[in-house]
């Protein structure tokens, strides 16, 4: 496993991160493909065996049970100081108001069974709360020792720049990471957000690296439980299916050229684009092995150009 610092912090993260949206109790109104506690334990143990130390969850994944399952699995197999845990706040009552942030961090820490987070991420931009209120509240968590570092997630570049400027102007803690929507089938953030992050030394930790599984197989449809029940994935990608299938065909070609899985090609592209970690929401241990293997695959500049060439502008997804 490879490691690097998270942005400008001294937090050492693995180049593969386990996305825990796949963990937790199943609910009819939420994700129907999540793993129970035993399966979560198996995934966490496999990650640790591979040298992965970075785990990402959120207060609303599986209605909070993702944090509970992840916390129990980590406590079973690892020392807290050896693990990097990230969680998120926004999709809750009050979004990013001061009251909501102070309430939600305590719930998250309780469910995870820890007294601090390594990284606390705002899950979206809050249009209804003043930026200063949000940044001051987040800064107070760092000062209180409940959070080591702050991160942001999908938003427009100008919004992220404004929040960072607010932190600078008021001597608040700035964001050190950006978990945005980024993969071979969705590259809209290359226009503004990603250049801003690179300019500021902010670590890129993009979500949905395999576009909900579309980049891991040559066909669009799948028999997996997630593909049949995840309406969010359908809304993200089905509108651009015709263009995306051209890109998927090229991923398939390179997978045959290198004798690697399609998912490894898609993940290796992200590594080449300079991401800090591959955030993989795996449901089977082998998928973590594939992600680790992708780190060893060095695509050529010609490969990158070939994969990117068919891409056409897509409608904005995530930053709303």
């Amino acid at each position: 496993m490879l490691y690097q610092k998270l942005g400008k912090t001294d937090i050492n993260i693995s180049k593969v991160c386990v996305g825990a949206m796949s963990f937790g109790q199943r609910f009819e109104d939420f994700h129907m493909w999540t793993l129970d506690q035993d399966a979560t334990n198996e995934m966490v143990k496999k990650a640790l065996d591979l040298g992965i130390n970075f785990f990402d969850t959120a207060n609303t994944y599986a209605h909070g049970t993702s944090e509970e399952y992840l916390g129990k699995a980590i406590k079973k197999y690892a020392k807290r100081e050896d693990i990097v845990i990230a969680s998120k706040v926004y999709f809750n009552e009050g979004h990013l108001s001061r009251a909501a942030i102070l309430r939600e961090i305590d719930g998250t820490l309780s469910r995870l069974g820890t007294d601090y987070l390594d990284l606390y991420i705002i899950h979206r931009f809050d249009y209804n709360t003043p930026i200063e209120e949000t940044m001051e509240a987040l800064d107070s968590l760092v000062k209180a020792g409940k959070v080591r570092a702050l991160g942001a997630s999908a938003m427009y570049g100008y919004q992220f720049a404004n929040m960072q400027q607010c932190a600078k102007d008021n001597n608040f803690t700035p964001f050190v990471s950006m978990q945005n929507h980024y993969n071979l089938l969705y590259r809209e953030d290359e226009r503004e957000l990603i250049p801003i992050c690179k300019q500021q030394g902010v670590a890129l930790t993009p979500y949905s690296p395999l576009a909900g599984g579309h980049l891991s197989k040559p066909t669009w449809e799948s028999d997996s439980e997630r593909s049949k029940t995840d309406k969010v994935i359908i809304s993200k990608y089905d509108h651009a299916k015709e263009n995306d299938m051209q890109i998927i065909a090229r991923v398939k070609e390179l997978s045959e050229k290198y004798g690697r899985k399609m998912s490894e090609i898609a993940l290796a592209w992200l590594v080449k684009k300079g991401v800090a970690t591959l955030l993989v929401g795996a449901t089977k241990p082998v998928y973590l092995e594939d992600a680790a293997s992708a780190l060893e695959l060095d695509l050529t500049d010609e490969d990158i150009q070939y994969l990117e060439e068919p891409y056409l502008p897509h409608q904005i997804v995530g930053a709303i």
Side-chain angles (χ1 to χ4, degrees), residues 189-248:
D189 285 347
E190 289 179 350
R191 304 171 187 271
E192 299 289 346
L193 182 61
I194 290 175
I196 290 171
C197 290
K198 289 185 176 181
Q199 181 185 57
Q200 297 185 1
V202 171
L204 297 174
T205 63
Y207 67 85
S208 199
L210 297 177
H214 286 306
L215 288 164
S216 63
K217 59 186 184 303
T219 59
W220 191 259
E221 286 74 22
S222 168
D223 292 330
S224 72
E225 191 167 8
R226 180 176 186 181
S227 67
K228 292 184 290 187
T229 61
D230 192 342
K231 296 179 181 179
V232 175
I233 291 296
I234 293 173
S235 68
K236 280 182 181 179
Y237 298 109
D238 277 21
H239 63 277
K241 176 181 175 181
E242 184 176 349
N243 178 226
D244 289 350
M245 283 303 298
Q246 299 176 44
I247 301 168
I248 290 169

Side-chain angles (χ1 to χ4, degrees), residues 10 19 85 121 131 141 155 165 199 215 219 222 238 298 309 311-312:
D10 62 353
I85 303 177
I121 301 168
I131 290 175
L141 300 184
M155 62 180 65
Q165 188 63 44
Q199 181 185 57
L215 288 164
T219 59
S222 168
D238 277 21
D298 186 20
E309 187 179 30
Y311 186 84
L312 297 174

Side-chain angles (χ1 to χ4, degrees), residues 258-272:
Y258 286 106
R260 309 292 281 266
K261 294 182 179 179
M262 289 179 63
S263 60
E264 293 178 64
I265 300 296
L267 293 174
W269 175 83
L270 275 172
V271 173
K272 198 76 170 182

